[in-house]
Amino acid sequence: MTLSPLDDLPIHQAPEVMRHVATSDRNFYDRYYFNCHPGSDELMLIVGMGQYPNLGVTDAFAVVRHAHLHRVVRASRELGLDRMDTGVGPFRIEVLEGLKRLRVVLEPNEHGLSFDLTWTGAIPATLEPRHFVRWQERVIFDSVRMAQTGHWSGSIVLDSRTIPVDTWMGTRDRSWGIRPVGEPEPPGIQVKNPGTFYWLYAPMQFEDHAILCIVQEDEKGRRVLEEAVRVWSDGREEEYLGRPEYHPVYAPGTRDVVEATITIGKIEVRCTPILPVHLMVGTGYGLEPGWKHGMYQGSEPVVEGVTYTLPEDADRMWGMVDAVGRFEYDGQVGHGLFEYWALGPHPSFT
């Protein structure tokens, strides 16, 4: 065992040094996710950084959607001994005030995207339900996540154009636990998995509160995970609003959502995705065989850029969609993340 700076803090959870996690599961991860937008169809920026202690890797990405542009900058390195070091190439994340203020930086680089942004939470960080999925005897997901809506300040530089960011909106989450990461494993009996991922994740930001909503169902329409909670800026939390019911409307011949209704008890929220970002394209979430979260890219740090344009590259744009969403209920209008994916069989498609 080797010590690291974390071991000087009274935070141990197991008879191990802090750089080692309490499980030997290769798929353990610890990740940041942020999105940033002005509440319009002008631009959306998504940033992520993860550590994969049992794979010895850390990586980061940023993707921006602006007009017809889909641009990604991504970086990877060996994790090393110090898990307090969040730098990955030109990326770094600084916790300025725990659960409240963070700084997210992508230093200038050759790939045409950089930023220096400060996040301030608008509601208390909120712990979501534990996400647990066992399939064919293997635990596929066992993770927890905290979520928060808030505001951004700073600037984004895109192709030499500086875009001021002043009280832009966004959501962030921190999740850790077990989920598929790294190089593909031999499927074994998992080859029988139907491959369904029917998912809605909608953190909605209103003037003085947020609604955090999650729906996941399996191939038979059974609930795997659900959440519907209203959190007020002053810290009040309504933990049970009712069972969320999700009713999307798809563009003809596709599974692209054009509008949706979420009913939560007596609340009916009308949802409109106004700027879709294809989260899985170039970022490491799973479409490129050579670049996945936690995948070892070699002993030397790697920084890459990927640029696509629409509609020319529309055939690449599939998978999970993270859209800027417009949300309306009871005369109130808010914005936030409208994240969805409808993959594989599900009763709503029969």
Side-chain angles (χ1 to χ4, degrees), residues 164-220:
V165 173
D166 183 17
T167 62
W168 283 22
M169 293 176 282
T171 62
R172 75 167 183 119
D173 68 60
R174 282 278 291 112
S175 64
W176 57 95
I178 294 166
R179 67 187 296 176
V181 295
E183 291 77 5
E185 298 181 75
I189 197 172
Q190 298 300 325
V191 74
K192 298 169 67 174
N193 190 323
T196 294
F197 198 76
Y198 188 82
W199 172 261
L200 166 74
Y201 182 54
M204 316 168 200
Q205 185 171 356
F206 298 92
E207 183 176 356
D208 59 358
H209 69 280
I211 294 177
L212 310 177
C213 180
I214 307 168
V215 174
Q216 183 182 358
E217 296 180 349
D218 67 10
E219 73 281 0
K220 295 182 179 180

Side-chain angles (χ1 to χ4, degrees), residues 216-228:
Q216 183 182 358
E217 296 180 349
D218 67 10
E219 73 281 0
K220 295 182 179 180
R222 297 172 299 195
R223 286 288 165 94
V224 176
L225 182 68
E226 65 178 36
E227 168 82 318

Side-chain angles (χ1 to χ4, degrees), residues 254-283:
T254 77
R255 294 188 181 183
D256 297 329
V257 176
V258 294
E259 61 181 55
T261 301
I262 303 172
T263 302
I264 313 168
K266 297 180 179 180
I267 297 173
E268 184 174 281
V269 184
R270 291 187 294 134
C271 316
T272 308
I274 57 178
L275 181 64
V277 180
H278 288 82
L279 179 64
M280 300 173 70
V281 181
T283 63

Side-chain angles (χ1 to χ4, degrees), residues 8-223:
D8 238 353
L9 301 174
I11 55 176
H12 291 83
Q13 301 290 314
E16 280 278 12
V17 294
M18 281 299 298
R19 57 183 290 260
H20 295 312
V21 295
T23 175
S24 62
D25 193 314
R26 72 183 293 277
N27 288 329
F28 187 89
Y29 77 104
D30 204 340
R31 184 179 297 162
Y32 292 90
Y33 166 96
F34 303 89
N35 63 60
C36 172
H37 57 84
S40 71
D41 62 358
E42 176 188 353
L43 182 149
M44 188 180 195
L45 173 71
I46 299 172
V47 185
M49 191 281 286
Q51 294 185 352
Y52 313 90
N54 294 336
L55 298 177
V57 172
T58 180
D59 52 31
F61 74 88
V63 55
V64 67
R65 171 73 192 276
H66 177 57
H68 304 298
L69 179 72
H70 177 102
R71 176 163 296 163
V72 177
V73 180
R74 59 196 187 191
S76 176
R77 66 168 172 85
E78 292 185 353
L79 179 56
L81 300 180
D82 187 2
R83 290 189 61 195
M84 295 177 71
D85 179 4
T86 62
V88 188
F91 292 90
R92 72 178 185 275
I93 295 173
E94 303 172 12
V95 178
L96 305 177
E97 183 181 348
L99 304 182
K100 183 67 175 179
R101 295 177 60 245
L102 295 91
R103 185 182 178 202
V104 184
V105 177
L106 174 57
E107 298 285 1
N109 57 81
E110 63 180 318
H111 302 296
L113 172 64
S114 61
F115 47 80
D116 189 338
L117 298 167
T118 298
W119 163 270
T120 302
I123 62 169
T126 302
L127 192 64
E128 297 177 349
R130 190 161 183 163
H131 192 182
F132 185 90
V133 178
R134 186 190 299 272
W135 181 262
Q136 297 289 352
E137 314 309 325
R138 176 76 183 271
V139 175
I140 305 299
F141 285 87
D142 187 6
S143 61
V144 294
R145 179 168 58 189
M146 68 179 186
Q148 189 175 42
T149 59
H151 297 95
W152 293 97
S153 61
S155 62
I156 299 169
V157 178
L158 183 60
D159 288 335
S160 300
R161 175 192 170 196
T162 299
I163 303 170
V165 173
D166 183 17
T167 62
W168 283 22
M169 293 176 282
T171 62
R172 75 167 183 119
D173 68 60
R174 282 278 291 112
S175 64
W176 57 95
I178 294 166
R179 67 187 296 176
V181 295
E183 291 77 5
E185 298 181 75
I189 197 172
Q190 298 300 325
V191 74
K192 298 169 67 174
N193 190 323
T196 294
F197 198 76
Y198 188 82
W199 172 261
L200 166 74
Y201 182 54
M204 316 168 200
Q205 185 171 356
F206 298 92
E207 183 176 356
D208 59 358
H209 69 280
I211 294 177
L212 310 177
C213 180
I214 307 168
V215 174
Q216 183 182 358
E217 296 180 349
D218 67 10
E219 73 281 0
K220 295 182 179 180
R222 297 172 299 195
R223 286 288 165 94

Side-chain angles (χ1 to χ4, degrees), residues 15 33 65 122 151-152 162 202 224 234 241 300 302 309 324 328:
Y33 166 96
R65 171 73 192 276
H151 297 95
W152 293 97
T162 299
V224 176
D234 61 11
L241 299 175
E300 296 299 319
V302 176
T309 56
V324 178
E328 301 170 73

